[in-house]
Amino acid sequence: MNRGERPTERPHVAADPAALAAFAAAAVAARIRARAAERGRFDLVLSGGTTPGPVYEALAESHAGDVPWDRVHVWYADERCVPPDDPASNHGAVEVALLGRVALRPPQVHRVRGEDAPGRAADLYEEALRDAWPRAASPEFDLVLLGIGTDGHTASLFPGSPVLEERVRWVSPARSPAAPHPRVTLTLPGLAGAREVVFLVTGGGKRPVLAEILRDPVASAARYPAARLAAMRSVAFWADAAAAGVA
Ligand code: 6PG
């Protein structure tokens, strides 16, 4: 069936951001346990922004001991071109909230070198991904956690950006129309082959964009990069009541 003929799967809705964080952390932990047992490894892609912070904290606080962290490899959906200790660094924030608090060793963390020039950082990140999946058409991540901006962007794929037309590269330099730092982002081909893609969405400000994408990802794909991904492949939405419009 064509995705445009039916609404996407209903989102999982939690009462508030704290409940969503607890649900998401437990769900991520369960996926890591199951898949790491099966495959011996779990490739997890994390996003920046404010929404996933409580999820990372809940993973560290409630699941440091019940997840085989030594089998988890962490990647990033995008990064700002700043050094890792800059407050704007996604890796820096994830390090504080999660990575420094669980049994992950540095070789398991594949960060984007935000301290390098965007083109160089993108090339190095692409190389690391191609080393991990040398024969694949797209990285075979186990789980990608993404956010959505009120303008429908996801990762650093912004509405109208030429990066949305990328067909070959898995990683690209990118720019936010509103924010100062250049960025590096996974492209649509970089995200297309993941086993599972989940959008974490909280707050009433995201309600209109989420409603539109859920109603018809194909129709909204022209305006919203997140919808473009949702129209290309199966995705899930984990939202709080305010974002889902049931508050
Ligand atoms: C980033 C992101 C970006 C984010 C959205 C939503 O690094 O900022 O990867 O795509 O997920 O902008 O951000 P909030 O969670 O802050 O609303």
Side-chain angles (χ1 to χ4, degrees), residues 27-110:
V28 171
R31 281 160 173 74
I32 296 174
R33 282 193 294 271
R35 187 80 177 134
E38 195 179 297
R39 188 184 159 230
R41 168 175 170 144
F42 192 91
D43 287 281
L44 174 64
V45 179
L46 302 179
S47 285
T50 52
T51 312
V55 178
Y56 304 152
E57 272 159 21
L59 272 169
E61 271 153 31
S62 306
H63 300 281
D66 68 7
V67 162
W69 289 106
D70 58 330
R71 298 189 173 190
V72 176
H73 283 252
V74 170
W75 304 86
Y76 290 92
D78 65 338
E79 183 57 280
R80 291 160 182 77
C81 289
V82 294
D85 59 355
D86 187 291
S89 165
N90 285 348
H91 170 70
V94 171
E95 174 85 23
V96 171
L98 174 64
L99 306 181
R101 303 166 69 190
V102 296
L104 263 159
R105 287 168 303 111
Q108 294 166 247
V109 180
H110 308 272

Side-chain angles (χ1 to χ4, degrees), residues 9-247:
E9 290 72 19
R10 290 170 66 82
H12 171 88
V13 182
D16 53 32
L20 184 70
F23 164 81
V28 171
R31 281 160 173 74
I32 296 174
R33 282 193 294 271
R35 187 80 177 134
E38 195 179 297
R39 188 184 159 230
R41 168 175 170 144
F42 192 91
D43 287 281
L44 174 64
V45 179
L46 302 179
S47 285
T50 52
T51 312
V55 178
Y56 304 152
E57 272 159 21
L59 272 169
E61 271 153 31
S62 306
H63 300 281
D66 68 7
V67 162
W69 289 106
D70 58 330
R71 298 189 173 190
V72 176
H73 283 252
V74 170
W75 304 86
Y76 290 92
D78 65 338
E79 183 57 280
R80 291 160 182 77
C81 289
V82 294
D85 59 355
D86 187 291
S89 165
N90 285 348
H91 170 70
V94 171
E95 174 85 23
V96 171
L98 174 64
L99 306 181
R101 303 166 69 190
V102 296
L104 263 159
R105 287 168 303 111
Q108 294 166 247
V109 180
H110 308 272
R111 75 175 181 90
V112 178
R113 288 183 49 89
E115 63 272 47
D116 291 348
R120 166 99 180 129
D123 285 351
L124 289 172
Y125 194 47
E126 173 114 18
E127 221 173 280
L129 287 162
R130 301 260 176 200
D131 280 351
W133 288 280
R135 286 171 298 279
S138 184
E140 292 165 355
F141 302 122
D142 292 294
L143 175 63
V144 180
L145 296 179
L146 291 172
I148 302 181
T150 51
D151 61 354
H153 80 261
T154 191
S156 287
L157 300 169
F158 290 91
S161 164
V163 180
L164 290 166
E165 307 317 320
E166 178 60 53
R167 293 287 171 271
V168 178
R169 288 184 54 114
W170 296 348
V171 183
S172 174
R175 284 228 159 243
S176 156
H181 305 294
R183 300 187 181 202
V184 168
T185 188
L186 290 177
T187 60
L188 290 171
L191 291 163
R195 186 178 169 92
E196 197 174 5
V197 171
V198 173
F199 289 100
L200 296 167
V201 202
T202 60
K206 307 274 175 81
R207 185 172 166 167
V209 69
L210 180 60
E212 234 185 291
I213 295 172
L214 289 172
R215 199 161 39 243
D216 194 340
V218 174
S220 49
R223 292 174 51 204
Y224 301 139
R228 200 137 154 185
L229 188 61
M232 266 172 73
R233 53 152 299 133
S234 80
V235 299
F237 296 88
W238 296 349
D240 73 349
V246 296

